[in-house]
Amino acid sequence: MADRFRVVLAAGVLVGMLVALWMVFLYVPSEPRMGLAQRIFYFHVPAAVTAFIAFFIVFVASIAFLRTESCSWDRLASAAAELGTVFSLIVLITGPIWAKPVWGVYWRWEPRLTSMLVLFSLYVAYLMVRRYGTDARGAPRLAAVLGIVAFANVPLVYLSVNLWAAEQQLHPRRVELAPEMVGTLAMVTGVFVLLFVLLLDHGVALQKLAERLDDMREEVMLGEGPGPGSDPT
Amino acid sequence: MNTTEPCAYLPHLLAAYSAVWLVLCGYLAVLWKRERRLRAELDELQESRSASVDVRKPG
């Protein structure tokens, strides 16, 4: 991505975030039943949407990597998984803070909360395979398989409110929103997606840098082999 | 629950938004530190490589 486009994107995220905060705190009307606590929704849901987009990219890039063995797909999957995990963490932190005033508890082992926690754990495992896998060729392949399998949990999280019995649910099955609420939600989601694109590009660039470093280390090690005057014994 | 108080649950709202910013800023800090470490290692390697080329040159 060209540097100029990156700067424009970063400026867009900054301006968009300021507008989004204005909408969340000043423009959108309060929901009468939940009051101020409902405004957590405007960061909680966009974070979840962004995490799902990230995990979809991991899924597609992992399939492409297994088919082509191209490092660029592997880099994309790795950077997207890291970002997806960060946005999932935001969902898992803001959710319980919102749940306390609304449900009276921070956490209940209900379908959506549990499946979201499982999803987060799966991608933490993915990142651990990448970080601690000792086999330079095997670890990315294993991570790619995990990235494909873990994605099966994404539709499960989304559909969990309908798949399990109503008495087990705390999340509502249907949500009616005023037009201002829909606009605010769309705005924050758009800004989060832009932020995701910016950070994804940066993450991929850092991985390229790390690979270049590995190549140079190998070159230096080969160059430092036994010199012409050294004793072979 | 039914709230008519305008500032009810303000601490929850502040806690949630603080958490969002903390996570995002923390991740940016991790990225920044990673980039600095990689660039420092790269510079170090480039220096050692050019030094080893100088040593191997005859004379």
Side-chain angles (χ1 to χ4, degrees):
Chain A
M1 206 185 284
D3 277 352
R4 199 172 161 182
F5 184 68
R6 268 187 208 140
V7 172
V8 171
L9 194 59
V13 170
L14 194 69
V15 173
M17 196 62 91
L18 290 173
V19 174
L21 285 171
W22 171 76
M23 288 179 90
V24 169
F25 287 103
L26 299 169
Y27 165 73
V28 75
S30 277
E31 202 268 348
R33 211 169 54 87
M34 289 185 266
L36 285 178
Q38 189 267 343
R39 288 171 198 259
I40 298 171
F41 164 81
Y42 300 111
F43 269 35
H44 177 75
V45 174
V49 172
T50 312
F52 290 171
I53 292 171
F55 295 146
F56 180 68
I57 291 174
V58 178
F59 174 69
V60 173
S62 297
I63 292 173
F65 172 68
L66 289 179
R67 280 175 63 103
T68 62
E69 300 246 328
S70 160
C71 289
S72 52
W73 288 116
D74 185 48
R75 275 184 225 125
L76 181 66
S78 173
E82 201 172 280
L83 278 164
T85 311
V86 169
F87 280 101
S88 299
L89 182 64
I90 290 175
V91 176
L92 285 172
I93 293 173
T94 54
I97 298 173
W98 185 15
K100 179 66 179 164
V102 180
W103 299 334
V105 285
Y106 283 109
W107 187 269
R108 263 249 320 253
W109 294 99
E110 62 106 50
R112 182 162 277 174
L113 289 178
T114 310
S115 55
M116 190 66 207
L117 183 64
V118 170
L119 184 72
F120 174 75
S121 309
L122 282 170
Y123 283 93
V124 169
Y126 175 97
L127 294 176
M128 286 172 83
V129 167
R130 299 208 67 103
R131 177 76 179 80
Y132 300 108
T134 47
D135 182 358
R137 276 181 64 82
R141 290 180 70 84
L142 180 62
V145 172
L146 189 56
I148 294 165
V149 174
F151 184 74
N153 205 38
V154 171
L156 206 66
V157 175
Y158 182 72
L159 297 170
S160 57
V161 285
N162 296 314
L163 288 176
W164 276 271
E167 60 268 22
Q168 294 177 348
Q169 308 286 344
L170 287 175
H171 281 85
R173 287 197 167 168
R174 275 184 64 83
V175 182
E176 302 267 327
L177 294 173
E180 296 96 330
M181 292 176 174
V182 176
T184 306
L185 183 66
M187 180 68 198
V188 183
T189 306
V191 174
F192 268 32
V193 171
L194 281 184
L195 178 66
F196 166 73
V197 171
L198 187 70
L199 293 176
L200 183 69
D201 173 58
H202 191 67
V204 169
L206 281 187
Q207 297 222 357
K208 271 188 202 166
L209 192 65
E211 280 167 26
R212 201 176 128 207
L213 196 65
D214 284 343
D215 291 345
M216 279 181 72
R217 266 196 211 110
E218 250 174 59
E219 268 177 48
V220 168
M221 277 171 72
L222 286 173
E224 282 175 359
S230 60
D231 187 356
T233 54
Chain B
M1 64 171 290
N2 200 344
T3 175
T4 48
E5 272 185 60
C7 284
Y9 311 127
L10 184 63
H12 293 89
L13 183 65
L14 291 178
Y17 277 82
S18 305
V20 170
W21 291 111
L22 273 177
V23 171
L24 286 178
C25 292
Y27 182 64
L28 286 177
V30 167
L31 282 184
W32 181 70
K33 268 182 79 174
R34 194 185 293 168
E35 183 170 356
R36 267 187 50 166
R37 182 180 53 81
L38 286 172
R39 292 210 183 275
E41 277 182 47
L42 200 67
D43 290 346
E44 208 175 290
L45 267 176
Q46 268 166 347
E47 267 175 37
S48 71
R49 199 166 67 165
S50 56
S52 70
V53 168
D54 288 346
V55 167
R56 277 157 193 263
K57 270 185 192 166

